[in-house]
């Protein structure tokens, strides 16, 4: 609780800024997360970021899902920080945007995105190849997201 309250106090000091800010949701359980979202919303934050890298590593997807839904209920936009799973995009609702370095880290290991999976291209890789693979991975993710968006629009049109 103390770390979360400390971050909320610091966030409140920034609310008079003319720059659009992203409030960072803190909490280790649903009660703390709800409290954090409520307070950030009361301060006027319209964009809420939720650091979820550790939850992703530990496969605690229910807490991520809970958080995205709670943020959505407030009308704020949800940014997942440290989110690297294209496969989970369909399973976790209300994600407005996400950030992660999986596309780059995969490139350093010689892997490229092939749809939802990563495919090994070579074991020995130099910095020029890393840049090429990283660019390919970003293009693959962009293409996947565009297709996902088209499917969502079609689904909403049919419904």
């Amino acid at each position: 609780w103390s770390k979360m309250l400390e971050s909320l106090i610091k966030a409140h000091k920034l609310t008079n800024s003319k720059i659009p800010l992203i409030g960072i949701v803190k909490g280790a359980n649903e009660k703390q997360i709800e409290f954090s979202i409520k307070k950030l919303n009361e301060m006027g934050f319209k964009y809420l970021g939720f650091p979820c890298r550790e939850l992703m590593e530990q496969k605690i997807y229910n807490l991520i899902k809970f958080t995205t839904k709670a943020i959505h209920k407030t009308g704020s936009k949800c940014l997942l920080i440290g989110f690297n799973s294209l496969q989970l995009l369909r399973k976790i609702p209300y994600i407005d945007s996400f950030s992660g370095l999986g596309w780059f880290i995969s490139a350093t290991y010689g892997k490229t995105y092939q749809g939802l999976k990563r495919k090994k291209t070579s074991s020995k890789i130099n910095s020029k190849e890393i840049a090429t693979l990283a660019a390919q991975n970003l293009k693959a993710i962009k293409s996947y997201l565009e297709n996902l968006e088209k499917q969502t629009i079609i689904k909403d049109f049919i419904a």
Side-chain angles (χ1 to χ4, degrees):
W1 280 98
S2 65
K3 292 283 186 192
M4 181 191 44
L5 292 174
E6 181 182 332
S7 74
L8 288 171
I9 290 167
K10 288 178 181 178
H12 181 66
K13 290 178 182 177
L14 295 171
T15 57
N16 293 330
S17 172
K18 301 281 188 233
I19 301 168
L21 300 172
I22 298 172
I24 302 298
V25 176
K26 296 284 196 169
N29 57 49
E30 291 179 3
K31 186 175 182 178
Q32 291 176 349
I33 288 169
E34 277 183 328
F35 179 81
S36 180
I37 291 170
K38 178 182 175 198
K39 292 301 175 189
L40 289 167
N41 208 350
E42 287 173 1
M43 288 182 233
F45 286 93
K46 300 294 180 212
Y47 302 92
L48 299 180
F50 182 59
C52 64
R53 182 185 58 82
E54 291 175 359
L55 295 173
M56 293 289 295
E57 288 172 354
Q58 297 170 18
K59 298 183 181 188
I60 305 175
Y61 306 131
N62 285 338
L63 195 55
I64 298 170
K65 190 183 269 190
F66 170 84
T67 304
T68 60
K69 187 175 182 180
I71 291 171
H72 176 76
K73 284 181 182 178
T74 69
S76 295
K77 298 290 182 186
C78 175
L79 163 66
L80 291 183
I81 303 165
F83 186 86
N84 285 309
S85 175
L86 295 178
Q87 294 174 338
L88 287 176
L89 273 176
R90 292 178 181 263
K91 296 178 182 174
I92 297 178
Y94 311 118
I95 300 171
D96 294 300
S97 57
F98 65 94
S99 69
L101 289 175
W103 59 273
F104 181 76
I105 294 168
S106 292
T108 64
Y109 289 102
K111 295 180 181 179
T112 59
Y113 281 86
Q114 305 284 322
L116 293 177
K117 299 189 189 245
R118 296 175 194 162
K119 182 181 175 187
K120 185 84 169 165
T121 60
S122 99
S123 56
K124 294 181 183 179
I125 189 159
N126 63 41
S127 58
K128 191 173 184 177
E129 291 170 322
I130 290 172
T132 302
L133 292 177
Q136 287 174 358
N137 286 344
L138 283 176
K139 287 178 185 174
I141 291 169
K142 181 180 181 230
S143 175
Y144 176 79
L145 293 175
E146 287 169 348
N147 288 333
L148 185 62
E149 184 178 34
K150 287 176 189 171
Q151 292 172 17
T152 303
I153 291 169
I154 292 169
K155 186 176 83 175
D156 291 344
F157 179 76
I158 294 171

